[in-house]
Amino acid sequence: MSSETETVEDETANERSVLDIWEDWYHVPVLSVLVAFMFWVRIQARERFTSGGEILFRGNDAYYHYREIQYTVNNWPWTMPFDPYTHFPYGTTSGGQFGSLFDQIVATAALVVGMGDPSGETVRTVLLYAPAVFGTLLVFPLYYLGKHYAGRLGALFGVFVLAILPGYILDRGTVGFGDHHIAEAFFLSIALVMVVRALRVAQQEKPVYELVVDRDWEALRDPTIASVLAGVAIALYLWTWPPGIIFIGILGAFFTVSLTLDYVRGRSPDHTAFVGVVSLATVVPMLVVKTGSLSFETTTISLTQYLIAIAVAAGCAFMAWLAREFDDRDIARHYYPAVIAGGILSGAVLMAVALPDAFSLIQDNVVRVFALGSSDTGRTVGEVQAVSLDDAGSFMISQYGLTYLTAAFGLFWMAAHIALAGDDYRPDELLLVVLTVFLVLMSLTQQRFNYYLAISVVLLNAWLFGQILRLLDVPTSAKRLTDIKGYQVLTLVAVLLLVTVPLVGPLASSSASTAAAEAGNSTGPGSSAYWAESTGWLQENTPEPGTYANPDGEPMEMYETYEQTDDYDYPEGAYGVMSWWDYGHWITVQGERIPNANPFQQGPRPASEFLQTTNETRAELVLEALPSLDERDEHISDLSNDELREVIAQQSEAEAREDTRYVMIDDQMASNKFSPITRWAGPSFGDYLSTQERMITFQTAEGQAQQPANLYGMNDRFENTMLSRMYYHDSQQLSHYRLVHETRSDTTILSLAQRTEGGATRPVAINRRFTGRLANMLQRPDVGAYDIRRESTVKTFERVDGATLEGSVNASNATSVTAMVQLNGTQDQRQFTYYQSVETDENGDFTVTVPYPTEETLGPDDGYTNSSVRATGNYTVFTGSLEGVNAERIGDRHILQNLENPGQIGNADVPERAIYEGDNVTVEMEGIEENLDVNDTADNQTSDNQTADNETTDNGNTTVGDDGTGSDGASGDGNESDTALDGRFVRATTP
């Protein structure tokens, strides 16, 4: 009997110990599952970032982070002080956002993985996965914060919410997005953990001024340690992202409200003020290590960070002192808020007078971050665009599902609790309320800041869940699980469904997965994949910087340590690559060449002016004056050609040799991005649009139908821009720019029009890249396409002096003379014709400067370019103009047969060195045989329906272009217009 009793008692004891262990540790397996799920979601698309054995990244900043990380690997732990490999011809300090703590951590990880000597591939691999690691590690500070605010169950619920969110917090933390954004969120969360902990310790230990005076370190030890750790965490956040000084500004707002509430409600403000003074006093010396500027800036550690940290610390001390003065003078407490407000206003006025530059900088950044709008140029950057208040609801649902509504409910509940709690309110809850208000403003003003707002959404959902558990008195211990009631279960299930159903299951983007899982699997390298071909070509087929036209020069080293300077003195043979600023980091890192403009938004105004100018002479002047335009580039459009010549005449010898030698243009610059390009300089986008008669192609049940209509679209002014003349017209009629490479991949650019019920037509997309969305629109019978063009995705041009063809024709008056040459594109993928027409003088003498050689003998070893575009023969020079003749689509002989009275003809060979050195080439002109058979065609003549894959078609599907020509829909200006929409956008070629 006794033995049976002992057995039962032992079993009961064992059962209880298992329950006790489960109650102590149940969060560990739950967290483990959530962490594993989050990491899997964030690395699903990893294989998409490997192309041809090369590891790619998403976006452009990731590539510059790779550059910084590789430098740090080579020079650990130091980061790059100055980089002349971008923003030609000045160079740049990359600022505190690059070469930051994020880059140092990734570089250290690469050194560990590579056992002290990692290869470039190892470094790229570590950076590839780094965002997913940081995005997953975010679980731990948020779990701690959730536990602090809502207990373990509430914290687990918050982590679950984090795991299923599909918005920016996921987007910035997926594999391949090698930017510092997710590291910002991680270190901000760490800083919040430490500040919240310091506030809690201060409320428990109650440090006051008298303890400091008495040097009672025993009483001050715990709050001091906690506050110092908070300061260290804040400093680490600033080391990751110096503009995060805005967080100290938010802390300043919190301390202002909290200390005011403390005093008005009868509590000593010393406790919270102690945290503010000690933590921010700790930040200041830690800034010294990463200081990048002794002026007032925001993008690097500068006097701005010192000023704000010291100001907030001093403000905390002042408010605590003022409270004591109020008590000593027996002043009514309700006057305290007014005095504080007056003090803040007076301080702002004093700063505006004493430090106007600093005040203006802070004011501008407050407006830029909190004002619910964006500047005209800011709207050209996708991630910093404001969220329209009309679309705010749908935007928030796309980011958070319905969790943003439950978070908003939790925010109001918490704020009401603070308002009604009297002197028993919790400062840490007030911190979350104040922080959330500012983060909402930030995330609506700049979309990217939603990776910050997600922190508040997670914590408020955790807090709300904890409050519901408390109100329902739901059993949270293992021993009381049997006591749970039906209504409690139903309520909790309803809350879970409200939060999760929009993000998981049938209401999510895929019924088979969460919205997060689908979003994580939809990422990829994007445009960097097709730019990789062009930048790879650039690296292999152009001279290294320092050797252009200077083969014996010393090449500039990619990862050399360069001394910081305001205007780098480039060596002879260094050169710039002109493109839009989006692509600068790809040119630097993938191409190992020096862009004029970059994603630091350095150099966009000269780039905008160059791309928009409609005159080659001015384009040349802009590039020649560029080394002297840095301080004046904001007004570059206002400078006349004579003023540019004056700038050039005053250049130093070093400035005069700093040339831009290449221009790279892609399909986006020529379509979707052209409007943002116009916002920096020159005319507005509307000046490039006009109404003209255009031919629209509609898909019908019987096939295709065409309809003429007056529609808005790109006009002649656009066609004459340098961007269009190079990208769409392969430098026709230009003297100093030759196509040297184009990608094998093609793209279609077109406009769409829709028929209204009344039979009229209206444009619904103008000059846009052909995407899946536009393809879906074209399936509708009331939507048609017009102004269709097919071009290589990226084209690279070289700027050369050009060879001058000179000669004389028999003419009693001035007449036209045309020089033309047939060219094969990259890997002979297409054939096109370059031509240029000029007028002779009254004696019949002519000169025409051309950029293409007829023989390729030079390459990078000679200090020049190994062009992938080659001439198929020599230049044909003849009297007459090509106006109205489609020179890009037909051969030399056919062109001559279409000319009226061509008169005289000559041929010229142009050596490659002639186009680099500006040599003259004499052309001997002769009379054309009178018996030239106009029906005779050259061997390379093709039918007008020749397709890009060399498949000749004769199905009669030619279309009539805007100018009335019927040759494959091609118009006289060399553009493809209205190509048949038979499922293939055909690029007309002359093989």
Side-chain angles (χ1 to χ4, degrees), residues 50-68:
T50 302
S51 175
E54 181 181 8
I55 294 174
L56 302 175
F57 304 106
R58 179 179 160 207
N60 34 47
D61 285 351
Y63 286 86
Y64 203 81
H65 276 291
Y66 167 74
R67 173 162 173 74
E68 290 278 4

Side-chain angles (χ1 to χ4, degrees), residues 733 818-820 833-837 878 880-887 895-896 899 972:
Q733 299 277 28
T818 297
M820 73 175 196
T833 302
Y834 166 83
Y835 70 92
Q836 186 173 177
S837 298
F878 52 87
S881 170
L882 289 183
E883 183 177 357
V885 178
N886 185 11
I895 289 175
L896 298 179
L899 291 172

Side-chain angles (χ1 to χ4, degrees), residues 587-664:
I587 294 169
T588 295
V589 178
Q590 300 291 82
E592 297 188 3
R593 299 299 180 260
I594 313 174
N596 295 95
N598 60 39
F600 300 140
Q601 289 199 353
Q602 295 171 328
R605 295 188 192 280
S608 174
E609 176 69 13
F610 171 81
L611 293 168
Q612 289 185 81
T613 186
T614 56
N615 180 282
E616 186 179 15
T617 299
R618 181 170 178 83
E620 286 288 281
L621 290 172
V622 168
L623 294 187
E624 289 178 26
L626 188 59
S628 309
L629 286 179
D630 189 36
E631 295 181 358
R632 306 171 64 182
D633 64 359
E634 185 174 351
H635 310 291
I636 188 170
S637 298
D638 299 328
L639 296 176
S640 67
N641 285 1
D642 287 339
E643 288 173 319
L644 289 174
R645 291 188 181 97
E646 183 179 347
V647 169
I648 295 167
Q650 296 174 358
Q651 287 180 337
S652 66
E653 182 180 346
E655 289 174 332
R657 69 169 181 254
E658 292 172 336
D659 288 324
T660 294
R661 287 298 180 186
Y662 297 92
V663 180
M664 301 182 77

Side-chain angles (χ1 to χ4, degrees), residues 695-698 700 704-708 755 785 958-961 977-980:
M695 192 66 67
I696 314 171
T697 300
F698 292 95
T700 67
Q704 295 176 346
Q706 292 191 312
Q707 171 185 326
R755 261 194 306 243
T958 55
T959 59
V960 179
S977 61
D978 310 326
T979 305

